[in-house]
Amino acid sequence: MSDDSSVLSLALRLLATGDDNLYAIIGLSMRVSLAAVGLGCLLGIPLGAALAVLRFPGRTVVTALLNSFMGLPPVVVGLLIYLLLSRSGPLGFLGLLYTPSAMIIAQTLLVTPIVAALSRQTIADLNDEYAELFRSLDLGLAARLGALIRDGRYSLMTAALAGFGRAIAEVGAVMIVGGNIAGATRVMTTAIALETSKGELALAIALGLILIALAMAVNLMVLGLNNFAQRRAYA
Amino acid sequence: MLNPQKLSDPEPDPRGAILPLTAHEITLRLANEDLLHEIDLVIEARSRTIILGPNGAGKSLLLRVLHGLKAPTSGEVLWAGAPLDSVARARQAMVFQRPVLLRRSALANITFVLHRAKLSRQDREARARAYLEMAELEHRAQTPARLLSGGEQQRLAIVRALALNPEILFLDEPTASLDPAATLAIEQLIDTVHNGGTKIVLVTHDIGQARRLADDVIFLHRGRVAEHSQADVFFAQPTSAAARAFLAGQIVT
Ligand SMILES: Nc1ncnc2c1ncn2[C@@H]1O[C@H](COP(=O)(O)OP(=O)(O)OP(=O)(O)O)[C@@H](O)[C@H]1O
Ligand SMILES: [Mg+2]
């Protein structure tokens, strides 16, 4: 019991004193996950919008696939990217394995289906509402998509936050393609896994607290966005 | 109310170019039910055509088919003798029975449809504000459109349609949720637009409104055109039993 509380106070001290090692890890986590979310939005929102608006054969199948990709196991994604980037893999010549870039690629693959699937739902609902007006105005595809994305922006931001929550908390993919190299590819989740296995609980707990705080912040932002949008009748 | 003509383009477009509008044996079948039956109509330029009929007669469906939102199961809609093309599309506008407003401010709802006109940002906004004024909504410019009252939404939808400077304007019960003063204001607006040369096709089941506005009346009953005649003739001597009953205030189904 006293052991636990001393570990906890050590963890709090680490956070409060701005331990370099700790903050480097947090910084890399944020950089990798934010980059992945940025790329995931660039790919996922247009993809979701296209699926919502375009009618083409096989659309239902693609949508079902996309929805199931929301739950891709991170270790499997990690393995896939590992195979692509490993020295003997097709993209091995890029020399990206065990770099933050590899981690960003893997997390982008995890985040994109989430953003795309949630965007598709949002934009499909909005399109149901707008479709007749758009037809009446004889708007082209680009104008329609532009208006749908613009007017759905609060829900789309929620989708991006969901993607961020997924990326920042996952351990399997970044572990496999990043390798958890101290000072290079170590992020919060991989550090927690390592420190815990070494019995060094203080750093693990400090990072765990940060992750929980981030998760709460993300959820608060989602709530805040929804409230704001509702109040402005944009939701 | 402003004069909308002040807002139309400097060069007058060749009004009447896409009219008359002809419906040729239109049938619309949805969910295994014939909702419109062999509708034959010639809708001439300029006049105010009122489509009258009880609930569920098919008025909204007919308007959708005429406006090109729904393809008829058989038959065709012709614009000056030709099928709908992008020119004919660009010269018509519609106000839906339930207004479809963008999740944006009232002002932005109008600037949105002005994108087709090649205007500078300032000009576009100035023009949009003039249309808001026409709807007496200038004080609501920045209000999210979906927070406006039902009547305000309806007015916004009407001036947004006018902002397209259409040659033919379809209106589906534009005053159904308005109080008498607002109804009168809308009717005056419709009159002004009509005087500017815009063809009006208006759906209503308000007989008083039909009397006030109609040049000719299409009476729709159970998906058929029960009659199509000049307003004075229609109100004085309706030929169909359904229209006679409807005008007499009896229940028509
Ligand atoms: N998509 C649809 N599928 C099946 N039936 C439909 C569809 N749309 C409309 N209907 C039916 O067609 C009939 C005519 O509908 P419509 O909306 O044209 O009536 P209306 O004359 O405009 O009535 P109101 O005065 O109540 O607006 C109604 O019985 C309606 O239930
Ligand atoms: Mg109707």
Side-chain angles (χ1 to χ4, degrees):
Chain A
M1 206 62 204
S2 67
D3 237 354
D4 282 0
S5 63
S6 73
V7 163
L8 188 60
S9 66
L10 193 56
L12 291 174
R13 187 133 28 94
L14 275 177
L15 286 174
T17 56
D19 180 81
D20 281 350
N21 182 32
L22 176 71
Y23 279 83
I25 292 173
I26 295 171
L28 183 64
S29 269
M30 295 296 283
R31 238 179 66 211
V32 167
S33 295
L34 285 175
V37 169
L39 289 172
C41 287
L42 280 179
L43 298 169
I45 292 176
L47 177 62
L51 276 177
V53 170
L54 299 178
R55 299 275 172 272
F56 57 90
R59 189 174 69 116
T60 321
V61 177
V62 176
T63 304
L65 266 179
L66 187 65
N67 285 338
S68 55
F69 281 2
M70 282 176 88
L72 277 182
V75 284
V76 175
V77 169
L79 178 61
L80 183 73
I81 300 298
Y82 178 89
L83 292 174
L84 284 174
L85 296 181
S86 70
R87 195 158 304 156
S88 53
L91 298 177
F93 65 93
L94 294 172
L96 289 178
L97 197 61
Y98 304 134
T99 65
S101 302
M103 297 154 77
I104 291 172
I105 294 172
Q107 289 204 334
T108 301
L109 204 60
L110 284 172
V111 167
T112 303
I114 295 178
V115 174
L118 296 177
S119 306
R120 191 204 64 80
Q121 190 60 54
T122 290
I123 290 176
D125 291 347
L126 199 53
N127 191 48
D128 283 346
E129 193 179 314
Y130 285 0
E132 279 208 311
L133 176 67
F134 286 170
R135 287 202 69 191
S136 175
L137 296 173
D138 198 21
L139 288 188
L141 182 62
R144 278 190 287 152
L145 288 179
L148 289 168
I149 289 174
R150 185 191 180 285
D151 289 4
R153 62 194 177 283
Y154 295 110
S155 307
L156 295 178
M157 281 186 231
T158 306
L161 283 170
F164 179 76
R166 164 91 156 154
I168 198 78
E170 75 81 22
V171 53
V174 283
M175 181 74 97
I176 293 176
V177 304
N180 192 25
I181 302 165
T185 59
R186 182 161 300 169
V187 291
M188 288 194 273
T189 51
T190 57
I192 291 174
L194 179 71
E195 300 299 312
T196 307
S197 70
K198 288 196 311 195
E200 302 273 351
L201 293 184
L203 186 62
I205 290 175
L207 289 168
L209 289 174
I210 300 277
L211 272 181
I212 291 173
L214 274 173
M216 280 161 55
V218 164
N219 279 302
L220 281 177
M221 278 160 78
V222 169
L223 278 179
L225 270 174
N226 284 345
N227 267 339
F228 176 76
Q230 216 104 59
R231 242 193 349 269
R232 302 281 297 164
Y234 290 145
Chain B
M1 292 273 165
L2 287 186
N3 178 354
Q5 292 321 303
K6 276 197 291 196
L7 291 161
S8 40
D9 291 318
E11 319 146 43
D13 50 7
R15 298 261 144 176
I18 59 166
L19 296 170
L21 164 59
T22 318
H24 186 62
E25 289 187 3
I26 285 177
T27 296
L28 181 68
R29 192 172 179 78
L30 292 175
N32 265 332
E33 203 182 337
D34 278 346
L35 298 170
L36 297 175
H37 305 263
E38 293 173 1
I39 293 199
D40 273 308
L41 286 171
V42 178
I43 296 179
E44 301 285 354
R46 293 197 166 269
S47 65
R48 287 160 302 180
T49 299
I50 305 298
I51 302 178
L52 198 61
N55 286 141
K59 305 183 295 296
S60 295
L61 287 177
L62 176 60
L63 222 54
R64 282 192 165 81
V65 170
L66 294 177
H67 185 41
L69 296 177
K70 254 192 166 59
T73 311
S74 63
E76 53 185 351
V77 176
L78 299 173
W79 294 89
L84 184 65
D85 59 11
S86 61
V87 174
R89 264 201 192 287
R91 291 196 179 173
Q92 45 180 311
M94 171 142 162
V95 177
F96 293 93
Q97 189 165 2
R98 255 171 290 172
V100 184
L101 295 174
L102 300 172
R103 301 181 182 203
R104 304 184 184 191
S105 69
L107 185 68
N109 263 273
I110 300 181
T111 48
F112 180 74
V113 304
L114 289 175
H115 271 274
R116 191 147 49 183
K118 287 176 184 56
L119 295 169
S120 75
R121 209 191 157 85
Q122 283 97 333
D123 287 354
R124 189 180 301 143
E125 182 161 331
R127 214 193 248 226
R129 283 191 188 278
Y131 280 106
L132 276 185
E133 226 169 278
M134 207 188 280
E136 288 166 6
L137 287 173
E138 59 274 31
H139 60 295
R140 291 267 182 254
Q142 299 307 331
T143 306
R146 285 154 39 106
L147 292 187
L148 297 174
S149 79
E152 288 170 337
Q153 292 195 9
Q154 197 62 267
R155 265 152 42 209
L156 178 60
I158 292 173
V159 290
R160 186 181 61 186
L162 292 182
L164 294 166
N165 191 22
E167 186 174 326
I168 174 168
L169 177 60
F170 294 101
L171 299 132
D172 196 349
E173 304 199 27
T175 60
S177 55
L178 302 188
D179 63 33
T183 300
L184 193 66
I186 292 299
E187 288 179 6
Q188 279 166 356
L189 187 57
I190 290 169
D191 255 344
T192 320
V193 175
H194 166 246
N195 289 336
T198 303
K199 166 74 191 181
I200 303 288
V201 179
L202 181 141
V203 166
T204 185
H205 45 224
D206 175 347
I207 297 170
Q209 179 164 67
R211 279 186 197 276
R212 287 191 295 277
L213 293 178
D215 294 315
D216 55 311
V217 177
I218 296 168
F219 189 79
L220 213 60
H221 183 229
R222 292 186 186 165
R224 295 175 195 275
V225 175
E227 60 184 291
H228 182 191
S229 35
Q230 292 306 303
D232 45 358
V233 175
F234 177 82
F235 290 113
Q237 300 155 332
T239 50
S240 65
R244 272 199 301 276
F246 187 79
L247 288 175
Q250 291 160 10
I251 293 166
V252 180
T253 55

